[in-house]
Amino acid sequence: MNDDQWANACFETRAIHAGQDPDPGTGAVITPIFQTSTYVQEAVGIHKGYEYSRTDNPTRTALQTALASLEGGAWCLVYASGLAATQNLFYLLRPGDHVLLSDDAYGGTYRLVAKVLAPWGIDFSLVDMGDLDAVRGAIRPQTKLVWVETPTNPYLKIVDIRGVADLLADHPARLVVDNTFASPYLQQPLAHGADLVLHSTTKYLGGHSDVVGGAVVGNDPAVFESLKFHQNAAGAVPGPMDCWLTLRGIKTLGVRMDRHSANARAVAAFLGQQETVERVFYPGLETHPNHAVAVRQMRDFSGMVSFTTRGGLEAAAAVAAQTKIFQLAESLGGVESLIEHPGLMTHASVAGTGAEVEATLVRLSVGIEHVDDLLADLKQALSVVAEAAVPAD
Ligand code: P1T
């Protein structure tokens, strides 16, 4: 089958096969790691489509073809990290242009915009993208990019992608959706009107916490040409081994996301019953303010759950230190469960900006271990905190 024929296959089948036909030279079923920096030319300018691996590499091409297929886009570019992909997208802007950024976005995205790009003349404002009236009010004639994360990091707010796209119908701004928390198995933003999709492939797409990478997917050929030019000129490319690891990860994306979602649903329900837990943030809960939008645009609700504890920062940090299966670490989306304190870890760079997170917030990346073990681990960690909060007789 060729790529056009795979286009008609279901998601799980494309995850395994799109862009990943057996190697024509050897019959290898798995795409080889083309660990080469350069390619021999028959004569000057006569070659098989590859000249130099900053520009293109066959393992990278396979990953790009697969991800474009999974997001339903015409093209994909992959990068050395999610932030390298984000930076590349900002080359679409010029000094004086304005960006609308989600007020609850990954701290590193905020840091790139506020601390690196703003000094070069890119203007930005933060807005609660869940409030479409607020988005409408914040759009300016100079707005060229609207940056949505959904679900957001770390409060798991849900943004109505179609709603924001409709607001931009008569405006030249491009709508970018960071789809890292959902993955294309659960949500395909282009189908809801987004212009571009961004991923930290480090997370669910890679799926095994063994590789850092990023991706952008879109349909507009002019945007592809511009991004490709800038990526080649500036050089933020992933190595072939990293592309191969990500390709291997996406083959199991569907089964992993089903299990992540089922486990997270159980964890969110459990946390909601605990006295030491104040509030639970999970888009799969019917009490989530945008649950109806999540149902409309997502297949399931993914594996991220956040909650606030009673008892202040000490209690939140203590829970994060007490879990045994949930390992205390930044990042998310791997098969193993992780726990972290966003205020002191992933979102420390938003401190003092007005977009900071609560000191009592804890974020879980719920893995695919057995759910009974995960619930028991959280129970013992929360009980230690509860005991510490009760004064001894
Ligand atoms: O780490 P990197 O591959 O560069 O991706 C950046 C990034 C982009 N978008 C979202 C939604 C993200 O969550 C991230 C990275 N986030 C973490 C490392 C974290 O622990 O939240």
Side-chain angles (χ1 to χ4, degrees):
M1 298 237 290
N2 60 32
D3 285 330
D4 287 345
Q5 291 161 319
W6 288 123
N8 298 319
C10 297
F11 184 97
E12 293 85 338
T13 309
R14 283 181 283 126
I16 294 169
H17 294 291
Q20 301 163 75
D21 284 341
D23 178 50
T26 60
V29 165
I30 296 301
T31 307
I33 304 167
F34 284 92
Q35 194 71 47
T36 185
S37 61
T38 191
Y39 307 82
V40 72
Q41 307 198 5
E42 280 170 45
V44 177
I46 310 285
H47 52 74
K48 296 179 166 52
Y50 294 93
E51 291 170 86
Y52 184 57
S53 281
R54 173 163 27 78
T55 315
D56 280 306
N57 173 282
T59 317
R60 201 162 112 206
T61 305
L63 175 59
Q64 292 178 160
T65 306
L67 288 180
S69 168
L70 297 186
E71 282 289 2
W75 52 261
C76 168
L77 287 167
V78 291
Y79 298 84
S81 70
L83 280 175
T86 305
Q87 184 198 19
N88 191 234
L89 268 179
F90 275 92
Y91 283 128
L92 295 171
L93 304 188
R94 292 292 171 265
D97 288 348
H98 172 254
V99 180
L100 266 190
L101 182 64
S102 169
D103 67 350
D104 184 41
Y106 170 54
T109 307
Y110 173 81
R111 182 177 54 201
L112 177 64
V113 175
K115 307 259 168 70
V116 179
L117 299 165
W120 286 91
I122 301 294
D123 205 1
F124 74 98
S125 22
L126 301 178
V127 64
D128 175 0
M129 297 278 176
D131 178 350
L132 291 179
D133 288 333
V135 178
R136 187 186 290 108
I139 297 169
R140 303 180 191 167
Q142 301 84 356
T143 307
K144 293 289 161 56
L145 218 55
V146 175
W147 193 279
V148 163
E149 248 182 52
T150 184
T152 62
N153 182 2
Y155 276 107
L156 302 163
K157 292 188 201 171
I158 295 295
V159 179
D160 179 351
I161 301 171
R162 172 60 63 193
V164 178
D166 286 349
L167 285 182
L168 297 175
D170 298 321
H171 195 283
R174 292 194 177 91
L175 173 57
V176 180
V177 175
D178 183 335
N179 202 25
T180 299
F181 269 37
S183 91
Y185 179 68
L186 300 183
Q187 171 175 279
Q188 289 158 21
L190 298 178
H192 299 291
D195 297 300
L196 294 157
V197 176
L198 178 122
H199 278 285
S200 168
T201 58
T202 317
K203 312 298 177 342
Y204 287 110
L205 287 165
H208 296 77
S209 305
D210 53 10
V211 62
V212 171
V216 175
V217 184
N219 281 316
D220 185 339
V223 173
F224 173 81
E225 288 307 326
S226 175
L227 295 180
K228 176 81 187 163
F229 169 80
H230 282 96
Q231 183 186 37
N232 186 48
V237 298
M241 179 78 189
D242 289 356
C243 293
W244 186 88
L245 283 167
T246 311
L247 262 181
R248 186 169 67 166
I250 64 174
K251 286 177 192 284
T252 54
L253 182 66
V255 287
R256 285 188 286 107
M257 294 316 293
D258 284 341
R259 182 67 169 263
H260 281 296
S261 300
N263 282 358
R265 204 184 337 273
V267 164
F270 167 82
L271 291 172
Q273 294 160 357
Q274 306 309 306
E275 291 228 323
T276 38
V277 171
E278 191 187 39
R279 278 171 299 148
V280 181
F281 305 92
Y282 185 61
L285 292 172
E286 282 176 19
T287 50
H288 186 286
N290 282 90
H291 177 67
V293 178
V295 168
R296 205 161 66 225
Q297 69 189 20
M298 299 178 78
R299 184 203 294 241
D300 208 333
F301 308 105
S302 199
M304 301 301 295
V305 179
S306 295
F307 62 97
T308 51
T309 55
R310 296 187 200 285
L313 183 144
E314 293 73 20
V319 175
Q322 282 298 332
T323 51
K324 307 273 186 294
I325 299 177
F326 283 85
Q327 298 173 79
L328 179 58
E330 302 200 1
S331 201
L332 59 116
V335 290
E336 65 289 306
S337 291
L338 301 179
I339 188 166
E340 68 122 1
H341 186 280
L344 296 176
M345 295 170 68
T346 50
H347 290 68
S349 55
V350 296
T353 63
E356 53 271 272
V357 299
E358 288 158 279
T360 54
L361 189 71
V362 175
R363 190 188 76 180
L364 302 175
S365 174
V366 181
I368 65 169
E369 300 95 337
H370 198 286
V371 68
D372 292 350
D373 292 331
L374 296 181
L375 297 183
D377 191 29
L378 290 170
K379 192 170 178 188
Q380 66 77 22
L382 290 168
S383 71
V384 169
V385 173
E387 277 163 26
V390 177
D393 291 333

